[in-house]
Amino acid sequence: MDVAIVGTGYVGLVTGVILADLGNRVICVDRDQAKLDLIAQGKSPIYEPGLEEIIKRTLQEGNLLLSSSIEEATKKSEVVFIAVGTPPGEDGSPDLSAVLAVANAIAPAIDKPTVIVNKSTVPVGTAQLVEDLILSYGTDPGLFEVVSNPEFLREGSAVHDTLRPDRVVVGSKTKSAAMKLVELYSVLEAPIVLTTTTSAELIKYASNSFLAVKISFINAISRICEKCGADVEEVARGMGLDKRIGSQFLKAGLGWGGSCFPKDVQGLTKTGEKLGYRFDLLTAADDINKQQTTHFLTRLEEKLGGLSGKRIGLLGLAFKPNTDDIRDAKSFEIIDYLAGKGAEVIAHDPVAMSNMKEVRPYIDYAKDATEVFQGSDAVILVTEWEQYRGLNLDQLGSQMKSRILFDGRRMWTKTNVERYGYSYSTIGLE
Ligand code: UGA
């Protein structure tokens, strides 16, 4: 099938490259020529395991094409995906200007039957908004349809998630447009859920918000555990084996960050507000998420008898492992809190340090993970990169001012770490 994908961010690039690898002819469109040039050289502009190999392969096979012209790509395609960002606007509602700008560019180029697919995370009613906008150009209503096809891939495992999704959601007014997408996705052998466009739009927000609530729930339980001597890992395991609950997204830690959960929780709260429903559950989940980091840092502050003049090492800066993405990462709250209290901060991350350097240039950055321990009063594990698990804590402890470890992601076990003379504090354990 001839496909165009407008936007080469996480969602657009991964979707485009995988669809090309599955044998479609895909034109990836972006207005950022530097990004397109990079992709044309077989390089990925984002850190995503496995993606670069597929970019190289699909370029060589000729299935992946690049363009900066939405018009040209629309004219050459049967299906045009909109996969651009919808960051929160001033009032917390998603800013749709990029989506609408793309729709404005697609409209005049429609000269044959075209299915326009909204893959960006957009509030309910956006498919209709896009349709109305395209009609306002005098476009023949029989020539195009707007479909909602939200994306559920996760950063860090985007290739796997795109090839093996739990489900594909297609929201459409008509069967013909839905069938076009069924044809495109049938090779994935995933269940395809056919809905209205508004249901599809809501499924995306509801899914991300539900997962965020689930994490906040276990984080709230972690606070109870700390007070009563229970262990949140044991509680989560005991709960998660109940198939109705499920063990995924039940890992207590510093809380959720990234470019999706915070934005989508806020977005759904706003949608509720606009429709006259106060979504208190989401507000509470958001509050718990914010308290989680502050509470952890307060424990550290108490342990050290104040933070002023203390040297604190941070392991990890990305919002989760296997990505260089620092958007809404917990590391920001931690750096700002520590710096605000007059602590000296030294941080390490396997891939996200250059991103953080741009926005927090005044902290120290370690050349490797071991340097984080040197001369530090305490070390905090912020992101659970697998490579940190194997650190020689015994040896590294001898380079610290005091052996104090704050594990924000339950990476190590208390008994193992205490064996090396550390004072070990973690989430959901007394
Ligand atoms: C999330 C969703 O999981 C995807 O399905 C969705 O497509 C994506 O948002 C999106 O809307 O684009 P992502 O933000 O890449 O994916 O990351 P997740 O793996 O979901 O993690 C989100 C945050 O929750 C991270 O900060 C992570 O550390 C935290 N988390 C996750 C926990 O604290 N505990 C858990 O058990 C799981």
Side-chain angles (χ1 to χ4, degrees):
M1 200 179 289
D2 289 325
V3 176
I5 309 232
V6 184
T8 58
Y10 262 100
V11 169
L13 184 61
V14 175
T15 308
V17 167
I18 300 278
L19 285 177
D21 208 29
L22 292 172
N24 301 287
R25 199 217 55 184
V26 179
I27 309 176
C28 280
V29 184
D30 207 291
R31 59 181 176 193
D32 182 347
Q33 190 58 46
K35 216 172 178 187
L36 294 179
D37 291 345
L38 201 69
I39 302 168
Q41 292 164 33
K43 296 196 177 115
S44 171
I46 48 169
Y47 176 85
E48 188 59 43
L51 187 61
E52 212 159 80
E53 294 89 275
I54 314 178
I55 293 177
K56 287 197 177 87
R57 185 162 70 228
T58 48
L59 282 170
Q60 262 164 19
E61 286 167 354
N63 279 345
L64 179 64
L65 304 163
L66 303 161
S67 171
S68 55
S69 165
I70 295 176
E71 189 189 357
E72 177 204 30
T74 302
K75 285 188 185 300
K76 289 183 176 164
S77 307
E78 300 157 68
V79 177
V80 182
F81 283 87
I82 303 177
V84 292
T86 51
E90 270 173 24
D91 71 343
S93 304
D95 176 358
L96 290 179
S97 54
V99 170
L100 298 179
V102 173
N104 272 312
I106 292 173
I110 297 173
D111 55 7
K112 58 170 184 347
T114 307
V115 176
I116 298 155
V117 186
N118 218 338
K119 218 178 212 333
S120 302
T121 299
V122 289
V124 279
T126 305
Q128 189 59 52
L129 205 65
V130 169
E131 185 182 322
D132 293 345
L133 192 149
I134 292 175
L135 285 172
S136 74
Y137 279 78
T139 316
D140 176 352
L143 270 192
F144 79 97
E145 287 174 274
V146 181
V147 171
S148 168
N149 169 225
E151 180 52 58
F152 302 100
L153 64 81
R154 287 163 301 175
E155 291 183 19
S157 56
V159 171
H160 168 275
D161 292 352
T162 307
L163 282 169
R164 289 177 197 77
D166 287 349
R167 79 305 204 184
V168 172
V169 174
V170 177
S172 172
K173 269 189 188 169
T174 66
K175 206 164 178 190
S176 58
M179 285 310 127
K180 200 79 190 158
L181 286 214
V182 169
E183 190 188 330
L184 191 62
Y185 286 122
S186 56
V187 62
L188 298 178
E189 292 175 7
I192 299 182
V193 184
L194 300 180
T195 68
T196 61
T197 52
T198 41
S199 293
E201 288 162 344
L202 193 53
I203 286 169
K204 171 68 191 185
Y205 278 95
S207 301
N208 272 3
S209 298
F210 184 85
L211 292 170
V213 168
K214 194 174 178 190
I215 300 167
S216 279
F217 183 87
I218 199 67
N219 281 339
I221 294 292
S222 81
R223 298 288 298 277
I224 304 275
C225 288
E226 287 168 22
K227 287 179 190 290
C228 73
D231 177 351
V232 74
E233 290 271 281
E234 291 179 358
V235 177
R237 187 169 144 69
M239 287 170 62
L241 286 169
D242 183 329
K243 290 194 186 68
R244 295 169 302 171
I245 296 173
S247 57
Q248 292 189 52
F249 281 67
L250 214 50
K251 175 98 182 151
L254 288 167
W256 33 272
S259 65
C260 305
F261 285 2
K263 163 176 84 74
D264 294 349
V265 164
Q266 218 182 0
L268 186 53
T269 311
K270 279 280 159 203
T271 298
E273 244 172 57
K274 283 180 188 158
L275 297 171
Y277 176 69
R278 229 180 56 187
F279 212 145
D280 291 340
L281 179 64
L282 290 187
T283 314
D286 197 28
D287 286 346
I288 292 167
N289 195 48
K290 289 185 180 121
Q291 286 161 19
Q292 195 68 357
T293 321
T294 325
H295 167 69
F296 197 58
L297 292 167
T298 311
R299 285 172 68 194
L300 174 72
E301 201 168 356
E302 277 166 16
K303 179 97 207 160
L304 291 175
L307 289 166
S308 178
K310 297 281 163 40
R311 185 171 170 83
I312 312 295
L314 305 184
L315 288 172
L317 294 167
F319 85 95
K320 68 173 192 179
N322 299 321
T323 179
D324 63 353
D325 198 339
I326 55 167
R327 283 176 290 176
D328 255 316
K330 285 288 165 182
S331 50
F332 279 104
E333 285 168 48
I334 295 173
I335 290 171
D336 294 348
Y337 186 96
L338 295 173
K341 296 268 178 173
E344 193 188 311
V345 179
I346 176 161
H348 175 265
D349 189 284
V351 293
M353 277 198 291
S354 54
N355 286 342
M356 189 57 89
K357 255 182 213 172
E358 280 178 28
V359 281
R360 294 291 182 275
Y362 45 82
I363 65 163
D364 291 337
Y365 290 91
K367 65 178 185 316
D368 58 33
T370 64
E371 202 188 333
V372 157
F373 289 78
Q374 286 164 17
S376 288
D377 293 280
V379 166
I380 308 177
L381 179 93
V382 183
T383 316
E384 67 277 33
W385 283 94
E386 201 45 43
Q387 64 200 79
Y388 293 151
R389 196 183 297 279
L391 286 171
N392 187 337
L393 291 179
D394 190 17
Q395 194 190 53
L396 292 170
S398 66
Q399 297 171 31
M400 295 179 75
K401 264 196 214 127
S402 48
R403 292 189 184 222
I404 295 177
L405 196 54
F406 267 66
D407 180 352
R409 300 286 177 184
R410 296 295 301 250
M411 180 157 225
W412 293 288
T413 53
K414 194 173 170 72
T415 39
N416 278 353
V417 176
E418 285 182 346
R419 233 177 354 154
Y420 304 127
Y422 278 89
S423 156
Y424 177 76
S425 304
T426 192
I427 307 278
L429 198 62
E430 223 174 9

